[in-house]
mmCIF file of all heavy atoms in Angstrom:
data_model
loop_
_atom_site.group_PDB
_atom_site.id
_atom_site.type_symbol
_atom_site.label_atom_id
_atom_site.label_comp_id
_atom_site.label_asym_id
_atom_site.label_seq_id
_atom_site.Cartn_x
_atom_site.Cartn_y
_atom_site.Cartn_z
ATOM 1 N N ASN A 122 -7.994 10.273 4.504
ATOM 2 C CA ASN A 122 -7.720 11.022 3.273
ATOM 3 C C ASN A 122 -9.005 11.711 2.827
ATOM 4 O O ASN A 122 -10.066 11.090 2.778
ATOM 5 C CB ASN A 122 -7.242 10.083 2.162
ATOM 6 C CG ASN A 122 -6.001 9.301 2.549
ATOM 7 O OD1 ASN A 122 -5.002 9.868 2.971
ATOM 8 N ND2 ASN A 122 -6.073 7.975 2.421
ATOM 9 N N VAL A 123 -8.896 12.987 2.499
ATOM 10 C CA VAL A 123 -10.048 13.740 1.997
ATOM 11 C C VAL A 123 -9.664 14.337 0.649
ATOM 12 O O VAL A 123 -8.673 15.075 0.546
ATOM 13 C CB VAL A 123 -10.462 14.856 2.971
ATOM 14 C CG1 VAL A 123 -11.644 15.630 2.402
ATOM 15 C CG2 VAL A 123 -10.794 14.274 4.338
ATOM 16 N N THR A 124 -10.450 14.017 -0.374
ATOM 17 C CA THR A 124 -10.160 14.479 -1.727
ATOM 18 C C THR A 124 -11.301 15.340 -2.251
ATOM 19 O O THR A 124 -12.481 14.993 -2.096
ATOM 20 C CB THR A 124 -9.953 13.282 -2.681
ATOM 21 O OG1 THR A 124 -8.848 12.499 -2.212
ATOM 22 C CG2 THR A 124 -9.671 13.743 -4.097
ATOM 23 N N LYS A 125 -10.931 16.444 -2.866
ATOM 24 C CA LYS A 125 -11.892 17.275 -3.579
ATOM 25 C C LYS A 125 -11.258 17.684 -4.889
ATOM 26 O O LYS A 125 -10.264 18.418 -4.909
ATOM 27 C CB LYS A 125 -12.292 18.516 -2.786
ATOM 28 C CG LYS A 125 -13.328 19.366 -3.536
ATOM 29 C CD LYS A 125 -13.791 20.564 -2.732
ATOM 30 C CE LYS A 125 -14.837 21.345 -3.522
ATOM 31 N NZ LYS A 125 -15.303 22.545 -2.775
ATOM 32 N N GLY A 126 -11.800 17.176 -5.980
ATOM 33 C CA GLY A 126 -11.222 17.458 -7.280
ATOM 34 C C GLY A 126 -9.810 16.930 -7.376
ATOM 35 O O GLY A 126 -9.547 15.755 -7.118
ATOM 36 N N ALA A 127 -8.865 17.807 -7.685
ATOM 37 C CA ALA A 127 -7.472 17.403 -7.865
ATOM 38 C C ALA A 127 -6.668 17.444 -6.577
ATOM 39 O O ALA A 127 -5.489 17.089 -6.566
ATOM 40 C CB ALA A 127 -6.808 18.309 -8.908
ATOM 41 N N PHE A 128 -7.275 17.855 -5.479
ATOM 42 C CA PHE A 128 -6.544 18.028 -4.224
ATOM 43 C C PHE A 128 -6.887 16.924 -3.227
ATOM 44 O O PHE A 128 -8.052 16.547 -3.087
ATOM 45 C CB PHE A 128 -6.867 19.383 -3.588
ATOM 46 C CG PHE A 128 -6.405 20.558 -4.392
ATOM 47 C CD1 PHE A 128 -7.243 21.140 -5.331
ATOM 48 C CD2 PHE A 128 -5.133 21.089 -4.203
ATOM 49 C CE1 PHE A 128 -6.826 22.232 -6.084
ATOM 50 C CE2 PHE A 128 -4.711 22.180 -4.937
ATOM 51 C CZ PHE A 128 -5.553 22.753 -5.876
ATOM 52 N N THR A 129 -5.867 16.432 -2.510
ATOM 53 C CA THR A 129 -6.064 15.446 -1.454
ATOM 54 C C THR A 129 -5.288 15.859 -0.218
ATOM 55 O O THR A 129 -4.102 16.195 -0.304
ATOM 56 C CB THR A 129 -5.595 14.050 -1.889
ATOM 57 O OG1 THR A 129 -6.350 13.617 -3.018
ATOM 58 C CG2 THR A 129 -5.772 13.030 -0.752
ATOM 59 N N ALA A 130 -5.945 15.856 0.927
ATOM 60 C CA ALA A 130 -5.296 16.113 2.208
ATOM 61 C C ALA A 130 -5.354 14.842 3.034
ATOM 62 O O ALA A 130 -6.382 14.152 3.050
ATOM 63 C CB ALA A 130 -5.995 17.252 2.950
ATOM 64 N N SER A 131 -4.235 14.509 3.710
ATOM 65 C CA SER A 131 -4.153 13.245 4.439
ATOM 66 C C SER A 131 -3.526 13.443 5.806
ATOM 67 O O SER A 131 -2.691 14.336 6.002
ATOM 68 C CB SER A 131 -3.305 12.231 3.657
ATOM 69 O OG SER A 131 -3.813 12.018 2.350
ATOM 70 N N ILE A 132 -3.918 12.586 6.728
ATOM 71 C CA ILE A 132 -3.281 12.526 8.034
ATOM 72 C C ILE A 132 -3.101 11.059 8.406
ATOM 73 O O ILE A 132 -4.033 10.261 8.275
ATOM 74 C CB ILE A 132 -4.084 13.268 9.124
ATOM 75 C CG1 ILE A 132 -3.381 13.158 10.484
ATOM 76 C CG2 ILE A 132 -5.522 12.764 9.195
ATOM 77 C CD1 ILE A 132 -3.987 14.050 11.550
ATOM 78 N N TYR A 133 -1.887 10.709 8.820
ATOM 79 C CA TYR A 133 -1.552 9.362 9.264
ATOM 80 C C TYR A 133 -1.028 9.463 10.685
ATOM 81 O O TYR A 133 -0.056 10.176 10.946
ATOM 82 C CB TYR A 133 -0.482 8.740 8.365
ATOM 83 C CG TYR A 133 -0.996 8.289 7.017
ATOM 84 C CD1 TYR A 133 -1.287 9.212 6.023
ATOM 85 C CD2 TYR A 133 -1.187 6.939 6.740
ATOM 86 C CE1 TYR A 133 -1.754 8.811 4.789
ATOM 87 C CE2 TYR A 133 -1.653 6.527 5.513
ATOM 88 C CZ TYR A 133 -1.943 7.460 4.541
ATOM 89 O OH TYR A 133 -2.415 7.054 3.321
ATOM 90 N N LYS A 134 -1.629 8.754 11.604
ATOM 91 C CA LYS A 134 -1.222 8.786 13.002
ATOM 92 C C LYS A 134 -0.671 7.430 13.413
ATOM 93 O O LYS A 134 -1.384 6.420 13.377
ATOM 94 C CB LYS A 134 -2.409 9.157 13.904
ATOM 95 C CG LYS A 134 -2.075 9.128 15.390
ATOM 96 C CD LYS A 134 -0.967 10.106 15.757
ATOM 97 C CE LYS A 134 -0.654 10.059 17.239
ATOM 98 N NZ LYS A 134 0.464 10.953 17.605
ATOM 99 N N ASP A 135 0.614 7.392 13.786
ATOM 100 C CA ASP A 135 1.228 6.155 14.248
ATOM 101 C C ASP A 135 0.710 5.850 15.657
ATOM 102 O O ASP A 135 0.858 6.667 16.572
ATOM 103 C CB ASP A 135 2.750 6.299 14.261
ATOM 104 C CG ASP A 135 3.455 4.969 14.471
ATOM 105 O OD1 ASP A 135 3.223 4.346 15.528
ATOM 106 O OD2 ASP A 135 4.218 4.553 13.584
ATOM 107 N N ILE A 136 0.125 4.680 15.811
ATOM 108 C CA ILE A 136 -0.464 4.309 17.105
ATOM 109 C C ILE A 136 0.292 3.170 17.778
ATOM 110 O O ILE A 136 -0.186 2.606 18.754
ATOM 111 C CB ILE A 136 -1.943 3.906 16.936
ATOM 112 C CG1 ILE A 136 -2.090 2.744 15.944
ATOM 113 C CG2 ILE A 136 -2.773 5.100 16.478
ATOM 114 C CD1 ILE A 136 -3.489 2.193 15.834
ATOM 115 N N ASP A 137 1.502 2.882 17.259
ATOM 116 C CA ASP A 137 2.238 1.755 17.796
ATOM 117 C C ASP A 137 3.641 2.157 18.235
ATOM 118 O O ASP A 137 3.833 2.617 19.361
ATOM 119 C CB ASP A 137 2.287 0.633 16.757
ATOM 120 C CG ASP A 137 2.882 -0.656 17.287
ATOM 121 O OD1 ASP A 137 3.153 -0.727 18.492
ATOM 122 O OD2 ASP A 137 3.081 -1.592 16.494
ATOM 123 N N LEU A 138 4.630 2.054 17.351
ATOM 124 C CA LEU A 138 6.032 2.199 17.743
ATOM 125 C C LEU A 138 6.508 3.648 17.812
ATOM 126 O O LEU A 138 7.149 4.059 18.784
ATOM 127 C CB LEU A 138 6.913 1.397 16.781
ATOM 128 C CG LEU A 138 8.412 1.406 17.067
ATOM 129 C CD1 LEU A 138 8.706 0.787 18.429
ATOM 130 C CD2 LEU A 138 9.163 0.654 15.967
ATOM 131 N N TYR A 139 6.214 4.435 16.795
ATOM 132 C CA TYR A 139 6.841 5.751 16.669
ATOM 133 C C TYR A 139 6.010 6.907 17.224
ATOM 134 O O TYR A 139 6.535 7.954 17.574
ATOM 135 C CB TYR A 139 7.191 6.019 15.194
ATOM 136 C CG TYR A 139 8.095 4.975 14.613
ATOM 137 C CD1 TYR A 139 7.610 4.043 13.696
ATOM 138 C CD2 TYR A 139 9.424 4.903 14.997
ATOM 139 C CE1 TYR A 139 8.448 3.079 13.169
ATOM 140 C CE2 TYR A 139 10.263 3.935 14.472
ATOM 141 C CZ TYR A 139 9.769 3.026 13.550
ATOM 142 O OH TYR A 139 10.589 2.061 13.028
ATOM 143 N N LYS A 140 4.703 6.755 17.244
ATOM 144 C CA LYS A 140 3.799 7.781 17.769
ATOM 145 C C LYS A 140 3.868 9.100 17.001
ATOM 146 O O LYS A 140 3.484 10.159 17.525
ATOM 147 C CB LYS A 140 4.093 8.059 19.245
ATOM 148 C CG LYS A 140 4.110 6.820 20.126
ATOM 149 C CD LYS A 140 2.801 6.049 20.079
ATOM 150 C CE LYS A 140 2.839 4.866 21.042
ATOM 151 N NZ LYS A 140 1.609 4.029 20.967
ATOM 152 N N THR A 141 4.331 9.050 15.752
ATOM 153 C CA THR A 141 4.425 10.263 14.938
ATOM 154 C C THR A 141 3.089 10.570 14.273
ATOM 155 O O THR A 141 2.192 9.716 14.191
ATOM 156 C CB THR A 141 5.492 10.102 13.844
ATOM 157 O OG1 THR A 141 5.198 8.902 13.092
ATOM 158 C CG2 THR A 141 6.879 9.979 14.437
ATOM 159 N N THR A 142 2.963 11.798 13.785
ATOM 160 C CA THR A 142 1.816 12.201 12.962
ATOM 161 C C THR A 142 2.351 12.684 11.634
ATOM 162 O O THR A 142 3.263 13.531 11.585
ATOM 163 C CB THR A 142 1.021 13.330 13.625
ATOM 164 O OG1 THR A 142 0.546 12.885 14.900
ATOM 165 C CG2 THR A 142 -0.165 13.739 12.752
ATOM 166 N N TYR A 143 1.816 12.134 10.541
ATOM 167 C CA TYR A 143 2.266 12.506 9.205
ATOM 168 C C TYR A 143 1.128 13.219 8.484
ATOM 169 O O TYR A 143 0.037 12.667 8.314
ATOM 170 C CB TYR A 143 2.700 11.273 8.412
ATOM 171 C CG TYR A 143 3.242 11.592 7.039
ATOM 172 C CD1 TYR A 143 4.507 12.155 6.888
ATOM 173 C CD2 TYR A 143 2.499 11.339 5.897
ATOM 174 C CE1 TYR A 143 5.017 12.456 5.634
ATOM 175 C CE2 TYR A 143 2.993 11.625 4.637
ATOM 176 C CZ TYR A 143 4.261 12.185 4.509
ATOM 177 O OH TYR A 143 4.754 12.486 3.257
ATOM 178 N N LEU A 144 1.383 14.460 8.077
ATOM 179 C CA LEU A 144 0.411 15.263 7.340
ATOM 180 C C LEU A 144 0.880 15.413 5.906
ATOM 181 O O LEU A 144 2.080 15.628 5.660
ATOM 182 C CB LEU A 144 0.271 16.648 7.977
ATOM 183 C CG LEU A 144 -0.039 16.699 9.475
ATOM 184 C CD1 LEU A 144 0.001 18.138 9.966
ATOM 185 C CD2 LEU A 144 -1.388 16.065 9.760
ATOM 186 N N SER A 145 -0.020 15.314 4.953
ATOM 187 C CA SER A 145 0.388 15.484 3.557
ATOM 188 C C SER A 145 -0.719 16.147 2.742
ATOM 189 O O SER A 145 -1.905 16.052 3.067
ATOM 190 C CB SER A 145 0.772 14.143 2.920
ATOM 191 O OG SER A 145 -0.362 13.324 2.725
ATOM 192 N N GLY A 146 -0.279 16.812 1.694
ATOM 193 C CA GLY A 146 -1.197 17.402 0.721
ATOM 194 C C GLY A 146 -0.726 17.034 -0.675
ATOM 195 O O GLY A 146 0.482 17.001 -0.936
ATOM 196 N N ALA A 147 -1.651 16.710 -1.550
ATOM 197 C CA ALA A 147 -1.297 16.264 -2.897
ATOM 198 C C ALA A 147 -2.165 16.976 -3.931
ATOM 199 O O ALA A 147 -3.342 17.280 -3.671
ATOM 200 C CB ALA A 147 -1.462 14.756 -3.027
ATOM 201 N N TYR A 148 -1.561 17.214 -5.088
ATOM 202 C CA TYR A 148 -2.280 17.844 -6.194
ATOM 203 C C TYR A 148 -1.963 17.087 -7.469
ATOM 204 O O TYR A 148 -0.793 16.778 -7.745
ATOM 205 C CB TYR A 148 -1.861 19.303 -6.350
ATOM 206 C CG TYR A 148 -2.490 19.992 -7.541
ATOM 207 C CD1 TYR A 148 -3.843 20.322 -7.546
ATOM 208 C CD2 TYR A 148 -1.732 20.290 -8.669
ATOM 209 C CE1 TYR A 148 -4.426 20.940 -8.646
ATOM 210 C CE2 TYR A 148 -2.300 20.922 -9.770
ATOM 211 C CZ TYR A 148 -3.650 21.242 -9.756
ATOM 212 O OH TYR A 148 -4.220 21.851 -10.845
#
Side-chain angles (χ1 to χ4, degrees):
N122 302 307
V123 179
T124 300
K125 181 177 181 181
F128 295 91
T129 299
S131 303
I132 179 170
Y133 285 75
K134 177 60 180 177
D135 191 299
I136 58 174
D137 187 6
L138 182 62
Y139 302 107
K140 307 302 183 184
T141 54
T142 300
Y143 183 74
L144 307 174
S145 70
Y148 176 72

